[in-house]
Amino acid sequence: MTIQTYKCIGCGTALQSDHPDAAGYVPKSAMDKEDIICKRCFRLKHYNEVQDVNISDEQFENIIRGLKDVNGLIVKVVDAYDIEGSWIEDLNHLIGRKDLILVINKMDILPHAMNHTRFKQWVYKRLKENRIKVLDIVLMSAIKGNGLTELMESIVKHQLDRDVYIIGTTNVGKSTLINKLIESSVGDKDVVTTSFFPGTTLDMIDIPLDENHFIFDTPGIVYPHQLSYYLSRDDLKLVTPKKEIKQRIFQLSSDQSVFIGGFARISVEFTTDDERLPFVFFQNNEIHLHRRKTEDSDAFWLEHIGGLLTPPTSSIKNLNDSLQTYRFNAGKERLDIVISGLGFITIPAYAAIEVTTLERLKVESRISIFEG
């Protein structure tokens, strides 16, 4: 039951007791109180903790579009494990050509052998190819506090007497980052406040930057092209890495496939001289990978999804009607094949593969991050 007549006295959001992850959630037992605040405001007020809330595409775009008219510095946070999937689409169209600092969070998830300098150069190259200008790129792990000093130094350097707005999709670790900023810069929890976004009922968090300026946190969103949009809470835990992902290498020939849990199948179509070549998988360590002959893999998928092929922990209705196949051909350089929310696969030069997965997921190729 959604209560439309009552609003949170902290942020003004309509209160409801059905969806714990949505805006305005309050346990039913608290609905009888005189002054009611939602779970998000309660956590902020009593624990100085910022929590993500799920909002619609339209609400999110209205919020981001509202930044076009402010004189602010934008800090955009993306997930190192899912850069493409966590990128806000049409960002320049939504906010205009704002000064932008790019934060790539969850660097601790990528293999430790990753050279950070080369990785940053790789990111700059990709941004240039897509005509995206940034003032700085900060690599960090918010949960470990790594890179926090560098971020604050970059903000101070580029702020130029402006407020700062932090934007990003859900699950990029933005709330963890905000909580770390509060922890490091705010001693008194009463200094952290909320204020309304123009044209919405959602609030943003104000963190004092200096006497006259604030860092504002904006709500996040899960896009339909991200795997997390479709997952239960339990499956999301299985898919989302919490520690360094370990590469898993399969020597594959053109008649073999590898299942990534029950969500995707990678089928090799061609390798040089039809020999076995290394295909390197970078997924959460909890996801089962299963090699299979391609010729009987359709029936195998239908039979074992939710069992041998997990996650998901249960079958997907009408699986065959929910799938789409993509084809990729590597040239003289290795490619990463990225499945939004499900990690990436590095394929060798001159290999050709098919990727079959849920039809709405974003699947892209890129020059491998290990090519520098």
Side-chain angles (χ1 to χ4, degrees):
M1 177 180 65
T2 300
I3 308 295
Q4 297 292 345
T5 53
Y6 296 102
K7 292 187 176 182
C8 171
I9 63 171
C11 67
T13 303
L15 296 172
Q16 52 86 22
S17 56
D18 293 330
H19 307 290
D21 294 328
Y25 176 74
V26 174
K28 290 181 180 179
S29 59
M31 281 293 191
D32 295 330
K33 295 182 179 180
E34 183 174 350
D35 295 321
I36 311 174
I37 60 175
C38 68
K39 180 177 76 170
R40 184 169 182 252
C41 288
F42 180 88
R43 301 296 299 183
L44 175 66
K45 178 179 179 181
H46 295 285
Y47 299 100
N48 248 15
E49 178 184 297
V50 179
Q51 293 187 323
D52 279 332
V53 293
N54 293 333
I55 61 176
S56 69
D57 294 17
E58 183 179 0
Q59 285 176 306
F60 179 76
E61 288 193 0
N62 285 341
I63 290 169
I64 299 303
R65 191 177 288 112
L67 299 180
K68 182 180 287 188
D69 299 322
V70 302
N71 179 27
L73 172 66
I74 306 299
V75 175
K76 175 172 173 46
V77 186
V78 297
D79 183 348
Y81 182 67
D82 188 20
I83 295 176
E84 289 76 10
S86 60
W87 190 266
I88 298 174
E89 298 179 338
D90 299 322
L91 183 62
N92 285 345
H93 174 72
L94 291 172
I95 68 172
R97 294 194 174 277
K98 298 288 185 186
D99 286 341
L100 181 71
I101 295 173
L102 177 61
V103 172
I104 302 181
N105 192 27
K106 302 187 182 181
M107 287 298 296
D108 57 302
I109 296 301
L110 297 182
H112 287 165
M114 173 77 65
N115 182 295
H116 283 201
T117 299
R118 290 182 63 188
F119 178 74
K120 187 179 286 191
Q121 291 172 346
W122 177 87
V123 174
Y124 271 119
K125 182 178 179 181
R126 294 211 66 207
L127 292 174
K128 184 177 181 180
E129 291 171 352
N130 289 278
R131 298 181 180 179
I132 299 170
K133 294 183 178 181
V134 297
L135 299 175
D136 195 8
I137 295 174
V138 179
L139 308 181
M140 69 180 305
S141 167
I143 197 167
K144 294 188 175 182
N146 298 338
L148 191 63
T149 300
E150 290 84 349
L151 174 58
M152 287 305 302
E153 289 175 350
S154 185
I155 288 174
V156 171
K157 176 182 177 180
H158 298 293
Q159 178 206 355
L160 302 179
D161 199 34
R162 296 176 291 181
D163 290 328
V164 178
Y165 297 83
I166 299 183
I167 62 175
T169 60
T170 304
N171 297 324
V172 297
K174 185 167 64 68
S175 290
T176 303
L177 170 57
I178 292 294
N179 288 325
K180 288 291 184 180
L181 290 174
I182 293 173
E183 183 182 309
S184 66
S185 63
V186 180
D188 183 357
K189 69 179 182 181
D190 293 330
V191 176
V192 183
T193 59
T194 65
S195 59
F196 294 110
F197 276 105
T200 76
T201 58
L202 289 167
D203 67 315
M204 55 183 169
I205 308 301
D206 308 349
I207 305 170
L209 186 59
D210 54 41
E211 291 184 359
N212 301 309
H213 300 95
F214 292 86
I215 297 175
F216 293 103
D217 174 35
T218 64
I221 188 176
V222 179
Y223 279 122
H225 65 238
Q226 293 179 282
L227 181 62
S228 55
Y229 187 88
Y230 304 97
L231 297 184
S232 67
R233 185 181 293 270
D234 288 340
D235 281 342
L236 186 60
K237 289 179 181 178
L238 291 175
V239 167
T240 306
K242 298 296 184 185
K243 57 184 179 181
E244 179 192 3
I245 53 176
K246 304 295 184 182
Q247 67 178 24
R248 287 178 273 183
I249 302 175
F250 289 83
Q251 298 289 337
L252 301 175
S253 59
S254 57
D255 60 345
Q256 294 182 312
S257 295
V258 173
F259 285 95
I260 303 176
F263 287 122
R265 178 183 62 200
I266 311 301
S267 301
V268 181
E269 290 191 311
F270 172 80
T271 59
T272 307
D273 297 326
D274 203 29
E275 61 180 323
R276 288 176 177 266
L277 292 176
F279 291 74
V280 189
F281 288 72
F282 296 91
Q283 278 73 40
N284 184 26
N285 306 325
E286 302 299 319
I287 297 178
H288 297 169
L289 302 183
H290 193 93
R291 183 182 354 214
R292 189 79 181 177
K293 288 278 189 182
T294 300
E295 61 184 0
D296 65 349
S297 60
D298 285 343
F300 180 81
W301 198 346
L302 287 170
E303 180 180 354
H304 292 288
I305 187 171
L308 183 62
L309 302 177
T310 57
T313 52
S314 59
S315 62
I316 298 175
K317 290 183 178 180
N318 304 316
L319 177 65
N320 281 336
D321 298 330
S322 306
L323 299 176
Q324 185 163 334
T325 297
Y326 305 83
R327 289 178 172 83
F328 299 96
N329 295 278
K332 62 182 180 180
E333 295 180 301
R334 291 178 293 174
L335 287 183
D336 289 339
I337 309 302
V338 185
I339 307 173
S340 183
L342 204 57
F344 59 96
I345 307 98
T346 300
I347 70 173
Y350 302 110
I353 67 166
E354 284 189 349
V355 178
T356 304
T357 188
L358 301 180
E359 62 179 350
R360 296 191 70 182
L361 295 188
K362 179 183 283 189
V363 181
E364 295 185 15
S365 64
R366 67 190 186 195
I367 298 299
S368 175
I369 58 175
F370 299 102
E371 293 289 348

